[in-house]
Amino acid sequence: DMSLYRAKESGRGRAVEYFKALDEERDRLSSLEGQLRAAISAGSIRPVFQPLVSASSGRICGVEALARWQTPAGSVSPEVFIPLAERAGLIDALGMHMLEQAVKTAQVWPGLDLSVNVSPIQLCNPSFPSQITDLLQREKFDPKRLTLEITESVLMSNPEMSRRAMDTLRKLGVKFALDDFGCGYASIGALRQFGFERMKIDRSLVWASDDEGQGSGVLEATIALAVALEIPVTAEGVETSRQAQLLRSAGCQQLQGFLIGKPMSSAELEMMMKAPEAVA
Ligand code: C2E
Ligand code: MG
Ligand code: MG
Ligand code: MG
C-alpha cells in the first residue's frame, strides 16, 4: 500500500507501527464480530445461572441468567461481547435467544424467580414487549416470576420509549430491577421515575465496604435509601461472610455473589437446590 510505503520512506516508522496496530485491532474485532454472528445463529451463546438467596434464611429464591460464549480459542467475557453485539446490531437476536433459553430452563424450577439482563437497545425495540408476551405464553411461564435487569444509561437515551415498554410488560406482572446501582450511572431519579421494583447494588460498592474509611457507611446509606423508598435490595458480588453480615444488618433482603455461588450450569444449580442446608 502506497501510504505505508511513503510513511516508511519518510522515516515515520513509529507512526507506521501505530497504524498497523490499529489495523490489527480492527481486524481482530471484525473477526470477533463474525464469530459472534455465527455463534448467535448456531445458538451457542448459553445462559449460566447464579443463585440469589434470601439474606435472612440463606435459601435460594431466584437466579440471574448470565450469557456465556465459549470459542475454540477460549471463553469471551460478556463485558466484551455484549457491547460488541450492541454495536453490530446483534443484541436483539442475542437477547431474545438468552431470554428464551433462560425461561425454558427455569421453567422446571417452579419456586424460583428468574432475572435476565436486558440491553437498552432491546427495550427500545417497539416489538420487544410483544416478543416477551409471546415467549411467556408459549412457554407457559408465569410473568410474575420474571425480572428484567436494566442499567440507567439505557433508559436515559430514550426515556419515553423505555417507560412505555416497561409499563406494557408490568401489566403482565413482569418486574424490573435497576442494575449496578452505585457504580456511576444509576441514580435516585431513575429509581423513582421508572418505578423499579428492585435495586441491585453494584459489586464495587459491596467491595468498597472492606476498605478503611467510608466504604461501609456508603453501602449502609445506599441500603437505607432503598428502605426509605420501599424498594427491596439485592447486593451483588458478595464474597465474604463479613460483607454478608454487614448487608444483612443494614436491611438488604437478597444476596448474590461467589460466597453463595458462582454462575453455574442448570445441573449444578439443581444439585445446590437439593442440599438441605441454607447456603449463606
Ligand atoms: P451484571 O448484570 O451486573 O452481572 C453481575 C456480574 O457480576 C456477572 O459478571 C457475575 O458473574 C459477576 N459476579 C457476581 N457475583 C460476583 C462475585 O462475588 N465476585 C465477582 N468477582 N464477580 C461476581 P458476568 O457474568 O461477567 O457479566 C458481566 C455483565 O455482562 C453483567 O453484569 C451484565 O451487565 C452483562 N451481561 C451478562 N449477560 C447478559 C445478557 O444476557 N444480556 C445483557 N444485555 N447483558 C448481559
Ligand atoms: Mg444483572
Ligand atoms: Mg449488576
Ligand atoms: Mg454489573
Side-chain angles (χ1 to χ4, degrees), residues 121-137:
I121 295 165
Q122 287 176 271
L123 201 65
C124 292
N125 174 345
S127 60
F128 181 70
S130 65
Q131 283 176 356
I132 299 281
T133 307
D134 291 350
L135 170 67
L136 296 175
Q137 266 167 11

Side-chain angles (χ1 to χ4, degrees), residues 50 64 67-68 78 98 117 179-180 203 236-237 239 257-258 263:
Q50 189 175 28
E64 178 177 0
R68 291 293 178 266
M98 274 293 295
N117 296 284
D179 207 350
D180 300 343
R203 52 194 185 185
E236 67 179 31
E239 293 188 343
F258 292 179

Side-chain angles (χ1 to χ4, degrees), residues 99-114:
L99 271 154
E100 192 173 330
Q101 295 307 302
V103 160
K104 280 183 173 158
T105 309
Q107 185 61 280
V108 300
W109 306 324
L112 297 192
D113 288 338
L114 171 67

Side-chain angles (χ1 to χ4, degrees), residues 9-272:
E9 283 297 277
S10 59
R12 286 188 277 146
R14 290 182 59 185
V16 171
E17 284 300 305
Y18 175 73
F19 285 113
K20 227 177 99 190
L22 272 189
D23 280 349
E24 278 166 13
E25 179 66 8
R26 203 192 46 217
D27 290 349
R28 197 183 62 80
L29 281 176
S30 71
S31 90
L32 198 62
E33 183 183 316
Q35 287 178 54
L36 180 60
R37 198 179 296 275
I40 295 168
S41 318
S44 53
I45 308 283
R46 297 213 173 79
V48 287
F49 300 91
Q50 189 175 28
L52 311 179
V53 300
S54 149
S56 54
S57 72
R59 299 208 156 268
I60 303 180
C61 42
V63 291
E64 178 177 0
L66 293 156
R68 291 293 178 266
W69 180 23
Q70 193 65 46
T71 73
S75 69
V76 183
S77 164
E79 317 253 17
V80 172
F81 70 78
I82 296 292
L84 180 62
E86 288 175 340
R87 284 199 303 274
L90 300 169
I91 193 66
D92 288 310
L94 192 163
M96 273 321 288
H97 173 73
M98 274 293 295
L99 271 154
E100 192 173 330
Q101 295 307 302
V103 160
K104 280 183 173 158
T105 309
Q107 185 61 280
V108 300
W109 306 324
L112 297 192
D113 288 338
L114 171 67
S115 288
V116 182
N117 296 284
V118 165
S119 158
I121 295 165
Q122 287 176 271
L123 201 65
C124 292
N125 174 345
S127 60
F128 181 70
S130 65
Q131 283 176 356
I132 299 281
T133 307
D134 291 350
L135 170 67
L136 296 175
Q137 266 167 11
R138 198 163 65 236
E139 300 301 329
K140 300 188 173 58
F141 192 89
D142 181 359
K144 292 191 191 65
R145 288 174 58 204
L146 181 64
T147 298
L148 301 179
E149 298 192 3
I150 43 190
T151 51
E152 188 193 9
S153 57
V154 174
L155 301 169
M156 287 315 158
S157 56
N158 198 341
E160 294 83 26
M161 194 72 172
S162 304
R163 181 74 218 214
R164 212 172 312 136
M166 289 170 79
D167 286 344
T168 305
L169 289 168
R170 273 196 178 109
K171 290 203 184 92
L172 298 178
V174 174
K175 292 188 277 295
F176 290 87
L178 182 54
D179 207 350
D180 300 343
F181 192 90
C183 85
Y185 280 119
S187 73
I188 304 170
L191 263 180
R192 302 186 60 146
Q193 185 184 349
F194 296 96
F196 282 98
E197 280 87 2
R198 179 167 291 277
M199 174 205 282
K200 293 198 75 175
I201 296 189
D202 195 60
R203 52 194 185 185
S204 61
L205 219 61
V206 173
W207 296 344
S209 72
D210 295 332
D211 302 341
E212 301 284 315
Q214 287 118 0
S216 60
V218 171
L219 181 59
E220 285 164 338
T222 306
I223 295 166
L225 168 75
V227 171
L229 294 170
E230 299 179 338
I231 298 171
V233 184
T234 303
E236 67 179 31
V238 184
E239 293 188 343
T240 67
S241 45
R242 188 180 163 278
Q243 292 164 349
Q245 195 42 53
L246 178 72
L247 287 160
R248 213 176 272 128
S249 55
C252 174
Q253 298 91 338
Q254 231 179 47
L255 308 177
Q256 173 181 8
F258 292 179
L259 174 69
I260 296 117
K262 292 195 174 179
M264 58 186 89
S265 68
S266 56
E268 288 168 315
L269 186 83
E270 281 166 17
M271 294 233 300
M272 188 174 170

